[in-house]
Amino acid sequence: MAPAAANYYSAPPHAHQKQRGYRICDTCGAVENPVAQKFRLCGGCMTTQYCSPECQKSHWPSHKTICQHTAAQMSGAKQQAIGPAYPDENLAKYLRKFTSTHSSLLGWAGFQALQLKRLPANIRQSALLIELSYNAHAESLYRFSVANTHIVSRTYVTSHDPLVAADISRREERCRRSGGIGTLVILVQCGGISQVMPVEVDPPSKISWDSRDDWSEVLRHFVESGRTDFKPISTTARG
């Protein structure tokens, strides 16, 4: 399993105030402004993001272990026989790109699936598992479809890989120090290859998203339509 540093929570008080749903620097917590400048991804794991080369360099001593672990797993996945249903040796790379492309949609789906607006304590016990089917399509946006979604025990994700569990715990501590409720864990899986996506979550009082029971249908629609323009719906100040 490869951890993806997809952090989507409001900036701390010293940063620019943005609606939750913006990417943050894994070192300093700066909030990304995609119009002005997109954050850079770590070249090793291709998941953790930084606002500047300086932040990336200063974070390397603490990021090195999980980064090399992730890169090794991705390299190993390319060499494994995935099976007749998943013949493409680049599946691991495609899955990682899928998670990065749809990170806002996946984070929203996890928030809805665990009902965190009404039951924030669920973040500590449960995780969202998204099972994908692979389509050998020339266009990258149409290579996956959603086969199934499940609410699973969080230990289903954290008990198999101590390094992934430690990375999630580190993010959880950081999130709670900033006033958040913890780290939402999403596991995206296709065949025998998985991608772990931790999402740091604000307290419900700061989140204006509407609660949606049709989150799985929305997830399928955006993925299978090849759309990347998802934005959470907020019809009231508190959702």
Side-chain angles (χ1 to χ4, degrees):
M1 296 180 183
N7 302 307
Y8 287 88
Y9 72 113
S10 296
H14 62 274
H16 297 293
Q17 295 299 314
K18 295 272 188 182
Q19 171 67 26
R20 180 181 177 275
Y22 283 75
R23 199 188 298 259
I24 68 165
C25 174
D26 203 49
T27 301
C28 69
V31 181
E32 182 184 43
N33 181 353
V35 176
Q37 180 184 10
K38 287 190 175 183
F39 283 3
R40 59 194 292 138
L41 289 174
C42 169
C45 65
M46 293 298 292
T47 53
T48 303
Q49 62 269 330
Y50 302 101
C51 66
S52 67
E54 291 74 23
C55 274
Q56 184 172 5
K57 184 177 180 180
S58 66
H59 189 235
W60 177 242
S62 61
H63 179 58
K64 179 179 179 180
T65 301
I66 191 67
C67 178
Q68 292 178 341
H69 177 65
T70 300
Q73 286 189 321
M74 291 297 100
S75 178
K78 291 179 184 178
Q79 299 172 26
Q80 295 173 7
I82 300 170
Y86 306 98
D88 200 317
E89 65 176 9
N90 291 312
L91 181 61
K93 181 179 72 175
Y94 295 156
L95 186 63
R96 189 165 52 183
K97 183 175 181 180
F98 170 89
T99 304
S100 177
T101 299
H102 293 290
S103 53
S104 183
L105 172 65
L106 298 174
W108 174 87
F111 182 87
Q112 301 293 349
L114 270 61
Q115 303 180 62
L116 295 183
K117 191 157 197 163
R118 186 169 61 88
L119 300 168
N122 283 350
I123 202 169
R124 293 191 286 272
Q125 286 94 35
S126 302
L128 174 63
L129 167 62
I130 301 173
E131 295 181 346
L132 301 177
S133 295
Y134 176 63
N135 310 308
H137 200 286
E139 294 285 338
S140 62
L141 293 176
Y142 299 97
R143 287 190 179 127
F144 294 102
S145 55
V146 178
N148 232 319
T149 58
H150 309 274
I151 306 300
V152 298
S153 170
R154 185 162 159 164
T155 57
Y156 178 85
V157 179
T158 58
S159 63
H160 297 295
D161 193 323
L163 284 176
V164 170
D167 188 61
I168 291 172
S169 295
R170 178 184 67 83
R171 298 179 188 285
E172 189 141 79
E173 290 173 8
R174 179 178 66 184
C175 180
R176 288 178 177 166
R177 285 197 303 268
S178 299
I181 63 172
T183 300
L184 164 65
V185 178
I186 300 167
L187 177 63
V188 183
Q189 188 169 325
C190 185
I193 298 178
S194 302
Q195 178 85 33
V196 178
M197 178 178 161
V199 184
E200 298 172 35
V201 180
D202 269 344
S205 61
K206 291 186 177 180
I207 298 173
S208 60
W209 297 350
D210 290 350
S211 294
R212 297 286 294 266
D213 294 329
D214 62 343
W215 60 268
S216 60
E217 288 83 1
V218 173
L219 175 65
R220 282 187 172 87
H221 169 72
F222 275 86
V223 170
E224 292 165 18
S225 300
R227 293 179 58 182
T228 60
D229 59 341
F230 173 80
K231 291 183 181 179
I233 299 172
S234 303
T235 55
T236 66
R238 292 284 296 275

